[in-house]
Amino acid sequence: MSDRAVVISGGSRGLGLALVRRFLQLGDRVATFSRTPGESLEQLAREHGERLIFDAADVSDSAAVIRAVRRVHERFGRIDALVNNAGLARDGVLATMSDQAILQTIQVNLLGAIWLAREASRVMLLGGGGRIVNVSSIVGLRGYSGLGAYSATKAGLLGLTRSLARELGGRNITVNAVAPGFLETEMSEGLNESQKAQISRRTPLGRLGTVEDVVGVVEFLLSDSARFITGQTIVIDGGISC
């Protein structure tokens, strides 16, 4: 059984919730942030007690991120791993997208990840090392019509990953990214059945991904088995981008 202190942003639903559940199963202590906990996360809190910390923090607010990370450090005494998972998908043609929608996408997906990495890495530096995984997307590598702002933020996470890997590697902190394809989560609810079927047909493995397909890769990257891997992006898309 592990006893790491793992921070996961956006842990109230979808991939984030699955990650919270998995690391609790592994015996880790987990802290997660989102605007609201949701029923499933509240149930996990009842089951795991003090091993799970939830903060109703908006990651796009730097002050809220600082307070949340400080609380984790005070409660757990260290931070061993960070998964930058919080994300907001606003689809639509860029020419018709409002300033507010664009700014909110950038603030949550990119600035939030930068602020959280900054605060968590400070704690890791004091503790002698750690692991960071940024959840990007294949649209950050290849682009997708109607997701211009979202793609830009996910591409930004890849640049952040490579730079932080160089910056923090000498202090025993690895930084990697995962780039999932289209998953069967709330994030794909905007796709109709015809669009989902088209994506499945174009995917060599013949289906959309699941959160479980991604959880195992993140688990690996946070493990000792990945101690010599840093600055890398692992694509998890069933082969659609090959």
Side-chain angles (χ1 to χ4, degrees), residues 182-198:
F182 291 93
L183 305 180
E184 288 281 10
T185 69
E186 294 91 336
M187 297 285 278
S188 64
E189 284 181 350
L191 301 173
N192 59 41
E193 291 305 314
S194 175
Q195 290 171 316
K196 290 181 181 180
Q198 183 182 31

Side-chain angles (χ1 to χ4, degrees), residues 85-96:
N85 166 75
L88 175 67
R90 290 287 182 87
D91 59 345
V93 177
L94 186 62
T96 62

Side-chain angles (χ1 to χ4, degrees), residues 15 84-89 105-106 108-110 113 134-141 147-162 177-180 187 233:
L15 175 58
N84 260 320
N85 166 75
L88 175 67
T105 301
I106 293 170
V108 172
N109 296 0
L110 187 53
N134 296 316
V135 179
S136 181
S137 167
I138 58 165
V139 302
L141 289 164
L147 290 173
Y150 180 78
S151 297
T153 62
K154 293 301 184 179
L157 286 179
L158 300 180
L160 175 67
T161 297
R162 291 188 291 269
V178 292
M187 297 285 278
T233 299

Side-chain angles (χ1 to χ4, degrees), residues 14-15 18 21 183-185 207 209-219 236:
L15 175 58
R21 184 177 288 114
L183 305 180
E184 288 281 10
T185 69
R207 64 173 175 85
T210 67
V211 292
E212 288 76 17
D213 294 323
V214 182
V215 168
V217 179
V218 175
E219 181 183 340
I236 311 164

Side-chain angles (χ1 to χ4, degrees), residues 22 56 73 84 110 132 191 225 234:
R22 178 56 180 156
H73 192 196
N84 260 320
L110 187 53
I132 297 174
L191 301 173
S225 296
I234 299 181

Side-chain angles (χ1 to χ4, degrees), residues 71-212:
R71 182 183 177 212
V72 175
H73 192 196
E74 290 171 353
R75 285 276 301 277
F76 290 164
R78 65 181 195 267
I79 294 176
D80 301 296
L82 164 66
V83 183
N84 260 320
N85 166 75
L88 175 67
R90 290 287 182 87
D91 59 345
V93 177
L94 186 62
T96 62
M97 189 170 286
S98 69
D99 289 356
Q100 181 181 5
I102 293 169
L103 284 171
Q104 190 175 28
T105 301
I106 293 170
Q107 288 169 338
V108 172
N109 296 0
L110 187 53
L111 286 178
I114 291 171
W115 286 325
L116 192 46
R118 179 186 66 185
E119 298 307 312
S121 66
R122 287 173 173 170
V123 180
M124 291 177 185
L125 288 167
L126 293 173
R131 302 276 189 271
I132 297 174
V133 173
N134 296 316
V135 179
S136 181
S137 167
I138 58 165
V139 302
L141 289 164
R142 296 177 60 89
Y144 193 83
S145 179
L147 290 173
Y150 180 78
S151 297
T153 62
K154 293 301 184 179
L157 286 179
L158 300 180
L160 175 67
T161 297
R162 291 188 291 269
S163 293
L164 283 184
R166 290 184 175 275
E167 189 173 306
L168 299 173
R171 303 297 295 275
N172 194 33
I173 300 173
T174 65
V175 187
N176 293 288
V178 292
F182 291 93
L183 305 180
E184 288 281 10
T185 69
E186 294 91 336
M187 297 285 278
S188 64
E189 284 181 350
L191 301 173
N192 59 41
E193 291 305 314
S194 175
Q195 290 171 316
K196 290 181 181 180
Q198 183 182 31
I199 292 169
S200 296
R201 286 194 300 270
R202 291 169 48 208
T203 303
L205 292 183
R207 64 173 175 85
L208 271 68
T210 67
V211 292
E212 288 76 17

